[in-house]
């Protein structure tokens, strides 16, 4: 009886202890979490504006695809060349550099008067993400006073998705209901960028010896996965590849379904639909925080296959209701898969090479998310948009099945 009472008392204290631990973590992590929201908000801010730019600058679907590829290329190049920079010079300076480049990208968007400036702005946006994402992800994990990697991962992913949701939603609403649709949202975005820089400047540094001279030979381009954790890295990398390929397919498919099949051209509607996916992903991330990383990874890949089927159905029917349901399922798959796979990476990464390993993981994310967008643009020009979407859906499905097999084979059990 005494033992039963003791266990009951301990169980009753668990929610209070978790809440206290969360408050303690947020007390030191919130500046970097706020930076994450801001930096990823900026990455999706242009999403509902492309239809207006196309009308203003008269460019084709292929050019739009190349603009997106410029963003992905900037991110990938930065992750490959500077992925471990914050391990050497500190999290704070690299994060501040990411915000500074984001401000430069925003300034180019404000002044954009031709296609070339859109390419420059999106490339700079990709560089800012490459700098901030690897450093910030490692920084949030290191700032948790209890070294609670699952909690840090959930907060990181949730902040990421909240920013991704706010970008298209705010830009779409501003473009639909206020003047200067192509500039006002970027002018307003300069304020949170400045505030983000201020709070990051005051955040506690976690890398010892920061500020020393940079050994450029030590950050030469390479994939940074230590040999001892390479087998464990396969499963989260494969999961990330599958999940972000699906997100890329969703990003490529949705504008066409709305404009071509459903005849919806409002930036507000387009922004709200895309925001739904990321908002659901943020909710799924928090709601599944106690789910083991392996189960979250495999569950996300399973839900992904259902999301693909619904996305194809939304275009073939066509149906806005089916598209909205598909969007919600996409969000659930993204939240589970991204949180679970990143949690494994945070667990297996050595402290002294955390940013390098995380950046290598993010390399798989951003490389895979760019492939469907480019593929839909090229195949759509050669055949038809519907044929391109069906082919890409099949390819993404095969990638998801392969990732699911890799996850079941290599994912570490907790």
């Amino acid at each position: 009886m005494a033992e039963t009472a003791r266990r009951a008392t301990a169980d009753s204290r668990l929610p209070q202890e978790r809440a206290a631990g969360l408050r303690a973590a947020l007390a030191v992590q919130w500046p970097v979490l706020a930076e994450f929201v801001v930096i990823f908000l900026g990455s999706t801010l242009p999403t509902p504006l492309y239809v207006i730019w196309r009308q203003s600058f008269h460019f084709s679907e292929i050019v739009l695809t190349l603009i997106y590829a410029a963003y992905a290329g900037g991110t990938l190049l930065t992750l490959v060349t500077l992925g471990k920079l914050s391990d050497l010079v500190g999290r704070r300076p690299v994060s501040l550099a990411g915000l500074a480049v984001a401000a430069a990208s925003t300034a180019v968007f404000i002044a954009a008067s031709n296609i070339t400036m859109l390419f420059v702005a999106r490339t700079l946006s990709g560089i800012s993400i490459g700098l901030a994402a690897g450093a910030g992800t490692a920084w949030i994990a290191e700032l948790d006073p209890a070294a609670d990697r699952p909690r840090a991962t959930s907060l990181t992913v949730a902040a990421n998705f909240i920013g991704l949701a706010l970008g298209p939603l705010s830009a779409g609403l501003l473009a639909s209901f206020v003047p200067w649709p192509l500039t006002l949202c970027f002018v307003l975005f300069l304020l949170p960028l400045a505030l983000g820089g201020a709070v990051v400047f005051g955040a506690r540094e976690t890398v010892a010896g920061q500020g020393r001279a940079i050994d450029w030979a030590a950050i030469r381009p390479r994939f940074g996965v230590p040999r001892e954790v390479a087998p464990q890295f396969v499963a989260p990398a494969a999961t990330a590849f599958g999940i972000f390929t699906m997100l890329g397919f969703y990003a490529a498919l949705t504008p066409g379904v709305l404009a071509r099949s459903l005849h919806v051209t409002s930036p507000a509607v387009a922004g709200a639909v895309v925001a739904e996916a990321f908002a659901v992903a943020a909710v799924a991330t928090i709601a599944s925080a106690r789910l083991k990383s392996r189960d979250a990874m495999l569950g996300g890949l399973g839900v992904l296959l259902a999301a693909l089927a619904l996305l194809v159905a939304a275009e073939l029917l066509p149906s806005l209701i089916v598209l909205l349901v598909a969007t919600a399922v996409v969000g659930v798959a993204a939240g589970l898969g991204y949180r679970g796979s990143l949690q494994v990476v945070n667990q297996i990464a050595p402290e002294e090479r955390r940013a390098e390993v995380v950046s290598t993981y993010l390399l798989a994310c951003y490389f895979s998310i760019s492939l469907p967008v480019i593929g839909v643009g090229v195949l759509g020009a050669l055949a038809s948009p519907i044929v391109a979407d069906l082919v890409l859906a099949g390819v993404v499905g095969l990638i998801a099945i392969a990732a699911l097999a890799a996850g079941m084979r290599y994912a570490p059990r907790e």
Side-chain angles (χ1 to χ4, degrees):
M1 290 291 291
E3 177 65 17
T4 302
R6 186 190 65 78
R7 289 180 179 176
T9 302
D11 289 343
S12 67
R13 290 176 179 170
L14 282 176
Q16 297 176 355
E17 292 174 356
R18 291 195 187 98
L22 178 60
R23 288 192 296 270
L26 289 175
V28 292
Q29 290 173 320
W30 75 266
V32 189
L33 291 169
E35 179 223 4
F36 248 57
V37 172
V38 170
I39 203 78
F40 282 100
L41 187 159
S43 73
T44 54
L45 204 58
T47 301
L49 305 180
Y50 284 121
V51 62
I52 306 177
W53 276 317
R54 288 188 66 180
Q55 294 170 355
S56 301
F57 300 154
H58 308 289
F59 55 81
S60 65
E61 187 71 28
I62 289 294
V63 172
L64 178 59
T65 300
L66 293 175
I67 292 173
Y68 187 90
Y71 165 76
T75 304
L76 294 173
L77 180 63
T78 305
L79 288 171
V80 169
T81 57
L82 301 176
K84 65 178 293 184
L85 182 61
S86 73
D87 286 335
L88 302 175
V89 303
R91 311 299 186 208
R92 184 190 297 115
V94 175
S95 297
L96 289 173
L99 289 169
V101 177
S105 169
T106 303
V108 177
F109 272 125
I110 293 172
S113 58
N114 53 56
I115 298 173
T116 301
M117 297 184 77
L118 293 182
F119 274 103
V120 173
R122 283 309 269 166
T123 301
L124 289 173
S125 180
I127 293 172
S128 71
I129 292 295
L131 287 170
T137 300
W139 202 0
I140 291 169
E142 292 163 352
L143 282 172
D144 194 312
D148 189 335
R149 298 295 186 237
R151 178 173 60 204
T153 302
S154 295
L155 292 173
T156 301
V157 174
N160 187 328
F161 282 130
I162 289 171
L164 292 173
L166 290 175
L169 182 62
S170 57
L173 290 173
L174 288 171
S176 296
F177 302 114
V178 300
W180 313 296
L182 295 178
T183 57
L184 183 59
C185 63
F186 294 108
V187 171
L188 295 176
F189 180 56
L190 291 173
L191 177 59
L193 275 176
L195 293 175
V199 298
V200 165
F201 188 79
R204 177 171 63 84
E205 180 60 74
T206 56
V207 175
Q210 67 276 6
R212 61 178 179 266
I214 301 175
D215 180 4
W216 291 106
I219 60 171
R220 65 188 183 278
R222 67 173 183 174
F223 293 101
V225 181
R227 182 177 301 176
E228 61 270 19
V229 301
Q232 296 172 297
F233 185 80
V234 171
T239 300
F241 196 91
I243 292 295
F244 278 81
T245 302
M246 175 203 64
L247 284 176
F249 177 70
Y250 174 79
L253 176 81
T254 303
V257 173
L258 286 172
R260 183 180 61 251
S261 301
L262 299 172
H263 309 291
V264 175
T265 58
S266 167
V269 174
V273 171
V274 175
E276 179 200 346
F278 296 123
V280 171
V283 172
T285 299
I286 298 300
S288 67
R290 297 180 64 183
L291 191 65
K292 292 182 178 179
S293 57
R294 186 179 191 275
D295 296 337
M297 286 170 51
L298 299 181
L301 290 169
V303 176
L304 183 158
L305 296 172
L308 283 177
L310 286 169
L311 286 172
V312 171
E315 181 166 26
L316 294 179
L317 288 177
S319 169
L320 180 59
I321 293 177
V322 175
L323 179 61
L324 293 176
V325 173
T327 297
V329 178
V330 165
V332 172
L336 290 175
Y338 186 26
R339 196 272 294 173
S341 56
L342 180 57
Q343 184 173 318
V344 172
V345 172
N346 269 331
Q347 289 169 344
I348 66 175
E351 292 291 338
E352 70 280 3
R353 296 180 63 181
R354 182 173 305 281
E356 181 183 359
V357 175
V358 168
S359 293
T360 305
Y361 164 84
L362 293 175
L363 196 64
C365 297
Y366 289 107
F367 177 74
S368 59
I369 200 174
S370 64
L371 291 179
V373 178
I374 297 172
V376 166
V378 174
L379 287 176
L382 296 176
S384 71
I386 292 180
V387 170
D389 292 342
L390 291 175
V391 170
L392 264 295
V395 172
V396 175
L398 291 176
I399 292 173
I401 293 172
L404 189 59
M408 294 178 69
R409 172 67 176 84
Y410 294 107
R413 296 182 181 274
E414 297 160 86

